[in-house]
Amino acid sequence: MSFSRSVSNTLFRHPNWFLVILLAPPLLWLGVAYLGSLSVFLFHAFFSIDEFSGFIKYELTLATFAELFRLSNFDVIIRSLVMATAVTLASVVIAFPFAYFAARYARGKWKALFYILVMLPLWSSYLVKVYAWKLILAKEGIISWLAGELHLTWALDALLAIPVIGGPSLSISFLGTFLVFVYVWLPFMILPTQAALERVPVSFIDASSDLGGTPAQTFRHVIFPLALPGIIAGSIFTFSLTLGDYIIPQIIGNSSYFLGQAVYSLQGTAGNIPLAAAFTVVPIVIMGFYLAIAKRMGAFDAL
Amino acid sequence: MATAVSFQKISRYFGPVRAVDDVTLDIAEGEFFAMLGPSGSGKTTCLRLIAGFEQPTSGHMEIFGVTSEGVPPYQRNVNTVFQDYALFPHMTVLDNVAYGLMVKGIDKPTRHRKALEALTLVALGSFGSRRPSQLSGGQRQRVALARALVNEPKVLLLDEPLGALDLKLREQMQVELKALQRNLGITFVFVTHDQGEALSMADRVAIFNDGRIVQVGSPEDIYERPNTKFVADFVGSSNVLSPAFSKAAGGPEKWASLRPEKIGILPARAKPSPGQQGASAKIIAAHYQGSVTRFNTRTANGEVINVTVPSSLGKFAEGDEIMLHWPKEALHIMAGEA
C-alpha cells in the first residue's frame, strides 16, 4: 500500500484530523499573526504618550481616545466618514445597472467581456492608476481640455467654485479624491452586486409582474431587497477601503488628512502609536455600527 | 359560454426556432383546460403568451374579448402558479400571498385578512408567519396557489405545478385542484407533460408537438380516438400499427391505434370469439408491474404489439407462441398522417 493511500485511509477513519489539517494554517495565520498583532496594536490606544519625552506611558487611560474628539482630529474622522459614505452611494448607483445588465442579459462572450471590463483595472498597479488619474484631472489634463473643446469650461469652473468640494483644479479638490475613490473601488461593488442579482431567478420577476407589480414595484419589493446582501457586501468593501486608504488622498486632493493618512503619519514621523491606535479603532467601530444597522434593517434576511 | 382565451393564428419564434407555430385555439370560460406535450413542444410558451411574459410574433390573441397583444403581465387579470413556485424568499408566507393586493395599494389589514382567507382555503391558515424556506414542497405549492387565487383572477395558469411533488402528494393535489376549480368556477389552464395528470383533471386536452396543436378534445376523445401516430404514442403509449396491419384486419389502409389494455392473450392457435379480431404473435419480453403484467410481443409480420393484462391472468412467459385478440372496435383507424 502506498504512503499516500495509507494517509488517506487514516484520515478517512479520523475525519476530525482532516479538519485540523485543513484549518490549522489559516487559523494560525488569522489567530496569531493577524488578530494577535492587531489586538496588541489596538491595545496601545489605552496608553498615552508623554508630551515632553515622547515616550509611551504604559498606564491604562482613556485620555488618548478623548483626544480623538479634539477639533483637528474629529475633523479627520468626519471628513473620512462623509467621503466613505459618498463614495459608497455613488458606487451603488453606478454599479447597480451594470451588474443588473450582466446578471440578467449578458450571455456567453458578453458575460466574459463584462468580467474582463470589471477586472481589468485590478490587474494594473494601484499607484499607476492613481497617478494616471492625477494627469487626467490636472489643470492641463484631459478633462479640462475636453471641457474647453466642448465650450463647457464655464461648467467645470462652476463645479470647482463650489466651496469645500471644489478647488483650483479637479486634482486638487475633494471632488477629484471622490472620483478616484469611486473609480478604484467600483469593481468591489459590482462583483458582489452582480453575484446577488444572478441568484434572483427570472421567475421571481415574472411572478411579481404576474401579480400586478409594475416594473418599479418589482424593483422595489423584489429585485432590490434580494440584491441588498450583495450591495451591503460591496459597500463593506467600498466603505472600509475608503476609510482606511492613505495613498489616494495624498496624491489627489487638497492635502487635508483622512483617517488612513492620520494613522500613517502618527505611527511614523510623529511616533504617537497610542493615538494612531485610537484612530484605527474608529473605522472598526463605524463598521460595527454599520453592520448592526444593516442587519436590523433586514439586509441579510435573504441570505 | 364566453370564450376565456382565444388564440388566432398565434406564432412565437425565438430566432429560427418556432416555439409556437400558427396555433388557433379557444378556451371556454370555467373550463379546466390541459396543454399536454413533450418538453419543447410549445405548451409552456403558450402559457407564457397568455400570462404576457411573451408577446406573439404574429397572430391575434384575446382574453375575455380584450386584445392582449402589447398588454404587460401586470395589467392582465390572469395569474400564474409557477413550476418552481417562485415564492419570494425574503417575505413571510402571508406577505407572499398578500403581494398582489399590496402592489394594487390595498391597505394592510384588508390584504392580510384576504391573504389569510386564501391560505385557509388551501389549508395553510396557521403558516402565515413562516418563511417559504420552512415549508415542504407540497406546502409551497399551496402557497403559490393561494398567492394567485387571492387576486381573484379570471384565468389561472398552472405551469407543471405538480412536477416537483412525489407521487402520493401529486395524486392528492390532483383531486384537490380539480375540486378547487369546480368550487371557484375559474378557468384553469394547466401545462403538463404527464398524460395521467391531464386525462384525470382536464375537461379538454390539447396535445402539443413541435409548436403545433395536433389534437384537441375531451380526455376520452384523446385517449380512445387519437388522430395521429404521435397522439396515440404519447398519450398512454398506444400500439401504433401499420396501414398493412389495418388492411389485414379488414379496415382501410391507414395507420391504426390499439390500446395495450384492450388486448387479451390466448394460447397459440386458439380461435378468437365472434366480434373479436386476432393475430398470432410471440412474447419477446414480460414485465411484471404489480397489478398488471406488460408483454412485448411480435407478430409474424414483425409488428411489435405491447399488451397489458392483469397479473392474475399472466400464465405466459417469454418465448411463448400466443394468440392476441381484441374487440373489433378497439382498433382505431387514425385520420391524420403524421
Side-chain angles (χ1 to χ4, degrees):
Chain A
M1 196 191 290
S2 75
F3 174 70
S4 81
R5 174 159 297 204
S6 71
V7 168
S8 302
N9 289 355
T10 309
L11 290 178
F12 177 78
R13 283 190 292 271
H14 304 278
N16 288 337
W17 297 4
F18 176 66
L19 286 183
V20 168
I21 294 171
L22 196 68
L23 292 176
L27 282 182
L28 280 175
W29 173 259
L30 273 176
V32 178
Y34 181 72
L35 284 180
S37 58
L38 184 66
S39 49
V40 168
F41 173 61
L42 290 181
F43 196 69
H44 275 79
F46 293 98
F47 299 139
S48 62
I49 200 138
D50 189 294
E51 305 236 344
F52 297 105
S53 64
F55 289 119
I56 297 169
K57 280 197 292 191
Y58 291 99
E59 286 166 25
L60 293 182
T61 173
L62 290 173
T64 310
F65 278 112
E67 263 194 68
L68 289 177
F69 294 95
R70 247 180 24 207
L71 192 62
S72 60
N73 290 337
F74 201 64
D75 247 13
V76 174
I77 295 173
I78 294 300
R79 188 178 303 128
S80 305
L81 201 58
V82 170
M83 178 62 80
T85 308
V87 167
T88 299
L89 289 177
S91 299
V92 173
V93 170
I94 297 172
F96 197 92
F98 198 49
Y100 189 77
F101 168 79
R104 280 294 309 282
Y105 300 104
R107 294 282 171 270
K109 63 178 178 198
W110 288 105
K111 195 144 223 164
L113 187 68
F114 161 81
Y115 279 113
I116 290 172
L117 280 178
V118 174
M119 306 290 278
L120 200 60
L122 298 177
W123 298 346
S124 59
S125 160
Y126 161 86
L127 269 177
V128 171
K129 284 184 292 182
V130 176
Y131 274 109
W133 269 98
K134 190 168 182 68
L135 295 180
I136 293 171
L137 297 175
K139 200 156 191 74
E140 307 80 22
I142 297 171
I143 290 189
S144 52
W145 169 80
L146 194 68
E149 290 293 308
L150 297 171
H151 305 290
L152 287 172
T153 305
W154 57 271
L156 188 61
D157 288 344
L159 205 60
L160 289 173
I162 300 172
V164 184
I165 67 165
S169 81
L170 278 173
S171 63
I172 313 175
S173 68
F174 283 137
L175 208 55
T177 322
F178 164 82
L179 285 175
V180 178
F181 267 134
V182 172
Y183 168 79
V184 171
W185 307 139
L186 196 59
F188 296 97
M189 178 61 82
I190 294 177
L191 290 176
T193 304
Q194 188 252 356
L197 284 169
E198 198 108 311
R199 288 199 300 267
V200 179
V202 181
S203 66
F204 286 6
I205 294 160
D206 282 347
S208 171
S209 97
D210 185 74
L211 293 164
T214 60
Q217 286 172 318
T218 301
F219 178 81
R220 195 174 138 216
H221 298 297
V222 178
I223 299 172
F224 186 73
L226 291 173
L228 202 53
I231 295 173
I232 297 288
S235 70
I236 292 168
F237 287 123
T238 57
F239 199 75
S240 61
L241 288 171
T242 309
L243 278 183
D245 191 85
Y246 63 98
I247 293 177
I248 291 173
Q250 197 175 312
I251 299 172
I252 293 165
N254 60 11
S255 68
S256 330
Y257 267 18
F258 283 80
L259 271 174
Q261 286 168 290
V263 174
Y264 180 71
S265 68
L266 281 169
Q267 60 81 37
T269 42
N272 193 343
I273 295 283
L275 190 56
F279 263 117
T280 308
V281 172
V282 173
I284 296 175
V285 170
I286 291 173
M287 288 311 293
F289 274 112
Y290 177 66
L291 290 181
I293 292 168
K295 182 165 166 33
R296 234 215 156 103
M297 282 166 56
F300 306 114
D301 285 4
L303 279 186
Chain B
M1 206 176 288
T3 304
V5 180
S6 171
F7 279 55
Q8 290 157 31
K9 295 182 150 310
I10 287 284
S11 294
R12 176 68 174 107
Y13 302 161
F14 296 104
V17 180
R18 301 181 166 206
V20 173
D21 191 7
D22 198 27
V23 164
T24 295
L25 173 71
D26 280 327
I27 299 172
E29 185 179 358
E31 191 170 35
F32 198 131
F33 192 88
M35 293 177 170
L36 175 64
S39 56
S41 60
K43 57 194 193 302
T44 297
T45 307
C46 274
L47 199 79
R48 293 175 62 81
L49 282 164
I50 304 175
F53 305 138
E54 302 286 348
Q55 291 291 324
T57 309
S58 64
H60 177 63
M61 212 178 127
E62 288 178 3
I63 297 173
F64 282 93
V66 179
T67 299
S68 60
E69 291 101 78
V71 179
Y74 50 88
Q75 282 172 10
R76 297 184 182 208
N77 201 352
V78 165
N79 287 110
T80 308
V81 175
F82 290 84
Q83 187 169 16
D84 63 356
Y85 314 138
L87 299 178
F88 304 131
H90 58 298
M91 297 180 193
T92 62
V93 164
L94 194 70
D95 282 332
N96 261 283
V97 176
Y99 186 85
L101 304 172
M102 190 259 293
V103 294
K104 285 179 199 87
I106 290 167
D107 64 278
K108 202 165 181 169
T110 312
R111 67 177 191 250
H112 276 179
R113 182 174 51 74
K114 287 196 168 180
L116 193 61
E117 281 170 17
L119 278 174
T120 310
L121 185 72
V122 295
L124 286 176
S126 58
F127 288 71
S129 58
R130 299 209 191 175
R131 294 276 167 154
S133 58
Q134 295 168 306
L135 302 183
S136 70
Q139 290 166 337
R140 284 180 213 186
Q141 212 267 329
R142 289 155 192 261
V143 174
L145 199 58
R147 185 176 71 171
L149 290 174
V150 80
N151 303 291
E152 298 170 10
K154 287 181 138 180
V155 181
L156 184 72
L157 308 174
L158 302 108
D159 186 8
E160 306 250 7
L162 309 181
L165 305 181
D166 60 55
L167 182 65
K168 214 171 159 133
L169 204 53
R170 200 153 65 213
E171 284 171 351
Q172 184 195 336
M173 281 310 294
Q174 282 180 18
V175 175
E176 289 184 20
L177 270 182
K178 183 77 190 161
L180 199 62
Q181 194 263 342
R182 283 277 171 276
N183 294 336
L184 297 171
I186 299 174
T187 311
F188 275 35
V189 181
F190 185 97
V191 158
T192 179
H193 65 269
D194 181 323
Q195 43 108 359
E197 236 168 68
L199 295 181
S200 70
M201 286 193 283
D203 298 320
R204 274 198 313 152
V205 182
I207 311 287
F208 279 75
N209 190 30
D210 283 338
R212 289 167 173 270
I213 292 181
V214 285
Q215 189 172 359
V216 185
S218 69
E220 291 80 5
D221 277 344
I222 299 282
Y223 190 81
E224 304 286 345
R225 292 173 287 282
N227 61 11
T228 68
K229 280 198 289 182
F230 174 81
V231 176
D233 183 52
F234 187 75
V235 182
S237 306
S238 191
N239 293 298
V240 175
L241 301 168
S242 67
F245 187 95
S246 312
K247 195 166 183 216
E253 198 171 353
K254 286 205 145 204
W255 291 95
S257 151
L258 182 58
R259 291 283 163 198
E261 69 277 13
K262 305 257 170 157
I263 307 172
I265 300 183
L266 296 170
R269 272 178 285 282
K271 204 162 163 45
S273 41
Q276 299 260 318
Q277 293 177 329
S280 46
K282 184 177 179 178
I283 295 176
I284 314 167
H287 307 283
Y288 178 74
Q289 291 173 344
S291 61
V292 296
T293 301
R294 193 172 172 87
F295 293 102
N296 304 130
T297 72
R298 191 187 290 129
T299 67
N301 305 343
E303 206 89 41
V304 173
I305 301 179
N306 295 320
V307 184
T308 310
V309 296
S311 292
S312 52
L313 305 176
K315 50 189 182 292
F316 299 95
E318 206 174 301
D320 286 357
E321 294 286 347
I322 46 151
M323 172 61 73
L324 300 174
H325 69 110
W326 57 89
K328 214 170 164 167
E329 64 279 7
L331 188 74
H332 170 71
I333 307 296
M334 294 185 289
E337 282 304 313

